[in-house]
Each structure stands twice: as structure tokens, then as C-alpha cells.
Amino acid sequence: MSNSKNPIVKKGLQLFNFLKKTYQAWDSTDPFARSAIIAYYTLFSLPSLLMIITSIASYFVGAEAVQGRIHTEIERFISKDVALAIEDMIGNVTLENDNWITLIISIAALIYGATGVFFQMKITMNLIWNVTEKKQNFKRMLINRAIAFGMVLVLGFMLLVAFVVTLGLNLLTEYLGQYAPEITIVFAEILRLLISFIFITGLFAAMFKILPDVIMSYRTTFLGASITAVLFLIGESLLGYYFTSSNPASVYGGAASIVLILLWVNYTCLILFFGAQITVQYALIKRHKIIPNKHAKLAHSDEMAALNEKKKKLDQDRRNALRLLNNPEEAPKKKKS
């Protein structure tokens, strides 16, 4: 049997071609520059973003519990020093003021800062999905900021859900640990990994569904989010090993925490954008319906319309030339001087 007829080889070639096409599409969007831009915005958005998220979740479970959860997650993803630095950032952001005008301005600045990173991410997502906004004015800018703020609220809600689920998991493992401690440890680790996967998949699904100006099926959204979550978890492990073994920010001294935040967000965005490109390429192969919403259009629709008009004009000129060639008497006669 030849290799071309071998189903395993055929599937392997299809997967290779799919990944090759995905990489080429991913590389064409200049992901490194766009990830750096989002990392820059994240650095300035982080205090406001975390304060809003903390405030939402703290309303239900208490500020100390939420801040402890954030500290644990950041320490797990990046490092203990970065977790402490971010905890200080949250503590330094305050809205206490007797002047209500100043308070309103502070809240507006807080929301504007918190939505900056998602606003920039929305621009990149539209580029990946090959759509552009029909109108770019002040009203549309406010709508985009509102959409970005919606992602902030989603983050706060998901943090609350994750906190409640983790609390329930801890209670369950403590109970089961009384009867089978060794099995319980393995069970708890598997369950935590599963919860992390579900949480991250839900977050990416929300980003794919809310941020880009496209309409796509939930099937496509969750499939792409699941693949991106797997890539993220693998990348998280590799980044954790890289940060621990090589300590890339050690040469920056007091600015090491800032550098680590920038590096982590930069690498994470690269993974996110690649996952988004996988979603787009898979949807194209499977012919899943993805169309721009009412506020957007295909990125090259104006150019295509101009090309079609030019083609129509060329076709008309060609027909006129053929008609004059076959009927020379119809050609306009020159006036005698």
C-alpha cells in the first residue's frame, strides 16, 4: 500500500498543511508587535483592572479572600515577587474622595484604564478575523469601551465562580482524604487541572465571542477556545520552567517584576493569537458560517468592490473594441480641418 493511501499518513499531511497555513496566517498579522503593544497597555491597565475585578468578587466573598486568590494564581503563573508587586498595585488604587466631581472623574479614569488592554485586543481580534469597523467615531469608541468593560465584568464573575468551585474542591478533598489520602491527592490534582482547563476555556470562549466584530456559532467558538486553552496550559508550564530556570528578569534589578509581567503577557498573547488563528482556519476548512456583525465589514470589501468595478469597465471596453473591429463603419469619423 502506498503512503498516499495510508490514512495515518494522509491525516498527518493534512494536519501539517493545516498548521502550516495557520502559522502563515498568524505570522502575517505581525503577532510579536501586537503582543508587545498589549503587554504595554496591560502594565498600565493592571491596577485598575484588578481593582474592579476584586471589587466585584469581594462583594460576595470578601476582599481578603479574593486578593489571596489573585495572589496565589499570579504566584503560580509567574512568580512570588510579581504577585507581591501586583498586590501593592491593587492597594495603591483608591477611589475615596469627598469631592463627588473628582470621584466621578476617578471612576471614569479607572474604567478607561481597565478596558485599555481589551480594547487593544479587540483591534487585533478583528485583524485575525479579517474584519474592520464600518464607522470609527466617538460613539463607536464608547461602544468598544463598553464591550471591553463587559470583558472586565466577565473576568470578575469567572473569578468568583473559580473561587467558589475551588472552595468546594478543598472541602471535598479534605473529606475524602480521611478515607483514602493517597488516592485523594491524585484525584485532587486531576480535578484542579480539569477545573483550570474549563475556566480558561470559558475565558477564551468569552473573548472569541465578545471581542471580534463577527457572528459565529458556539460550536466554533468553544472548539477554538478549547484548543487555545490546551496551548495555554502547555505554554504556562514551559514559561514557568523558563522563568524559574533562566530568570530572564534578573539583570533588571528593581524593575524585574515589571519585566516579568511584560514577558508573561507578551508570550500569553502570542499563544492566544495563534489559538484564534486556529479557530479561523478550522472554520474556513469546515465551512462554518462566520460573518461580520452589523458594525463591521470584511476588511478588503472596499478594495474588492473597486476591483469588480474596474473589471466591469475593462469588460465593457473589450466588448466595445470587438464591436468596432467587426463593424468599422461605427467608428467615430475624424472631422476635416
Side-chain angles (χ1 to χ4, degrees), residues 280-292:
V280 173
Q281 296 302 320
Y282 179 83
L284 291 174
I285 290 174
K286 295 297 183 180
R287 300 183 183 276
H288 292 179
K289 193 174 182 181
I290 299 179
I291 58 175

Side-chain angles (χ1 to χ4, degrees), residues 99-166:
N99 189 329
W100 65 272
I101 297 178
T102 305
L103 182 62
I104 292 174
I105 295 174
S106 299
I107 293 174
L110 186 70
I111 295 174
Y112 187 85
T115 56
V117 60
F118 291 111
F119 182 77
Q120 292 299 321
M121 198 168 288
K122 176 180 174 62
I123 295 174
T124 305
M125 287 292 182
N126 277 345
L127 178 65
I128 291 172
W129 264 269
N130 196 34
V131 296
T132 184
E133 294 183 358
K134 292 179 179 178
K135 295 181 180 179
Q136 295 181 350
N137 49 32
F138 182 73
K139 179 182 177 181
R140 187 58 192 162
M141 188 270 290
L142 290 179
I143 294 174
N144 287 335
R145 287 286 174 174
I147 293 172
F149 187 66
M151 275 304 308
V152 177
L153 298 180
V154 169
L155 269 177
F157 174 75
M158 294 186 71
L159 177 65
L160 176 63
V161 172
F163 179 84
V164 174
V165 172
T166 303

Side-chain angles (χ1 to χ4, degrees), residues 20 35 40 50 58 61 75 85 101 103 135 138 141 171 181 185-186 204 228 237 287 289 297 301 304 306 320 328 336:
K20 179 183 176 181
S35 297
Y40 173 82
L50 290 177
S58 297
V61 296
E75 183 177 352
I101 297 178
L103 182 62
K135 295 181 180 179
F138 182 73
M141 188 270 290
L171 293 175
I185 293 174
V186 177
F204 287 151
T228 308
S237 301
R287 300 183 183 276
K289 193 174 182 181
K297 60 184 178 181
S301 58
M304 291 300 296
N320 291 338
K336 294 181 178 181

